[in-house]
Amino acid sequence: MLRVILHIDMDAFYSAVEQRENASLRGKPVIVGADPKAGKGRGVVAGCSYEAREFGVYSAMPISQAYRLCPQGIYLRPNYELYEEASEQVMRILNQFTEKLEQVSIDEAYLDVTGKVANFEQAAALANRVKQEIKEKTQLTCSVGVAPSKSIAKIASDFRKPDSLTIVPAEKIRQFLAPLPVIRIAGIGKKSAEVLRRMKINTVGDLSATHPGKLAQIFGKYGTRLWQVAHGMDDEEVITTSAIRSIS
């Protein structure tokens, strides 16, 4: 049975909303988070623009480190009420395209559009309509991954950010995944990636070629899950949610 899942991931959400509200910030390195206090501030980066990322700044980085990398950046304290309003606007748009929507954070969601399309060509057209609708109504961009499962759709949405659309039909999953670094799989952080590196597992292709029992010895049940994702095996359902948000 054809199964089609979309993962919508808003691009640099906090800084993009700030740039939308203040045109003078557009094209500049905007860093949302704690007060840097000339490189001595405490706290972390909550979000940053792609212009700031060119200097090596990224979310969850200590704000003092961000300041050392990008002292010329524009540092803003978070306006969570504004971000919530923008998020609600985006989710209302997404709800128009399917009854099965799972919001997993303030700026991302899964859509099950299995009953709305007959093939992945139609899915691509639908995803483009989603992107266009969001851009026209919110002046924000998003990246969309389209795949037969949630795990692959999420990897696909992150593949060519920002403002991208990546389609991965079932027959191309292994080809798509094989060359990617293992850290692209959701849940694999720096520590897990380092453990895998010591096992000479650097890519998803390496991971898929590893015996699942070996992974289970190191990671327990999660090791089996990693092996399954590397093979495109994921039947996790999109669970309809309301107002579930995660704010870093």
Side-chain angles (χ1 to χ4, degrees), residues 116-182:
K116 307 291 183 180
V117 296
N119 51 51
F120 273 84
E121 288 183 2
Q122 291 183 13
L126 177 64
N128 270 315
R129 292 208 307 274
V130 170
K131 285 173 57 64
Q132 183 179 359
E133 191 83 358
I134 289 175
K135 193 168 187 176
E136 287 180 356
K137 292 187 176 179
T138 72
Q139 291 79 58
L140 300 169
T141 65
C142 66
S143 294
V144 182
V146 184
S149 67
K150 291 170 70 174
S151 59
I152 307 304
K154 182 172 176 62
I155 294 171
S157 69
D158 191 47
F159 185 57
R160 292 180 302 186
K161 288 177 74 71
D163 198 13
S164 65
L165 171 60
T166 302
I167 314 292
V168 188
E171 66 273 15
K172 293 186 177 180
I173 287 177
R174 299 287 292 275
Q175 177 185 344
F176 170 72
L177 291 178
L180 299 179
V182 290

Side-chain angles (χ1 to χ4, degrees), residues 4-171:
V4 184
I5 309 297
L6 275 59
H7 182 254
I8 314 296
D9 193 2
M10 301 303 296
D11 297 321
F13 186 59
Y14 292 172
S15 56
V17 173
E18 296 286 358
Q19 289 173 323
R20 180 189 71 178
E21 298 299 308
N22 184 349
S24 68
L25 299 177
R26 294 170 190 170
K28 296 179 181 179
V30 176
I31 299 164
V32 178
D35 183 353
K37 294 180 181 176
K40 297 181 180 180
R42 295 185 177 183
V44 299
V45 175
C48 59
S49 67
Y50 286 96
E51 293 84 0
R53 296 180 195 192
E54 292 178 3
F55 292 90
V57 180
Y58 56 84
S59 296
M61 170 183 280
I63 198 72
S64 56
Q65 183 181 351
Y67 187 82
R68 288 193 292 272
L69 290 170
C70 188
Q72 71 273 45
I74 300 170
Y75 290 81
L76 303 174
R77 298 305 298 270
N79 184 343
Y80 292 122
E81 183 176 349
L82 180 64
Y83 311 149
E84 287 278 0
E85 290 176 359
S87 174
E88 289 172 2
Q89 187 180 11
V90 169
M91 297 304 155
R92 283 197 297 270
I93 293 169
L94 296 181
N95 267 309
Q96 297 173 6
F97 289 90
T98 181
E99 299 78 34
K100 297 188 70 174
L101 181 147
E102 179 179 351
Q103 183 179 353
V104 291
S105 73
I106 193 171
D107 62 349
E108 62 178 316
Y110 292 101
L111 283 68
D112 187 332
V113 297
T114 300
K116 307 291 183 180
V117 296
N119 51 51
F120 273 84
E121 288 183 2
Q122 291 183 13
L126 177 64
N128 270 315
R129 292 208 307 274
V130 170
K131 285 173 57 64
Q132 183 179 359
E133 191 83 358
I134 289 175
K135 193 168 187 176
E136 287 180 356
K137 292 187 176 179
T138 72
Q139 291 79 58
L140 300 169
T141 65
C142 66
S143 294
V144 182
V146 184
S149 67
K150 291 170 70 174
S151 59
I152 307 304
K154 182 172 176 62
I155 294 171
S157 69
D158 191 47
F159 185 57
R160 292 180 302 186
K161 288 177 74 71
D163 198 13
S164 65
L165 171 60
T166 302
I167 314 292
V168 188
E171 66 273 15

Side-chain angles (χ1 to χ4, degrees), residues 209-243:
T210 304
H211 194 282
K214 184 177 181 181
L215 295 169
Q217 286 180 346
I218 304 297
F219 297 102
K221 290 182 179 180
Y222 183 60
T224 303
R225 167 69 176 170
L226 291 179
W227 185 87
Q228 290 173 335
V229 172
H231 283 264
M233 300 164 59
D234 176 19
D235 58 1
E236 184 180 349
E237 293 290 332
V238 171
I239 302 172
T240 303
T241 55
S242 60

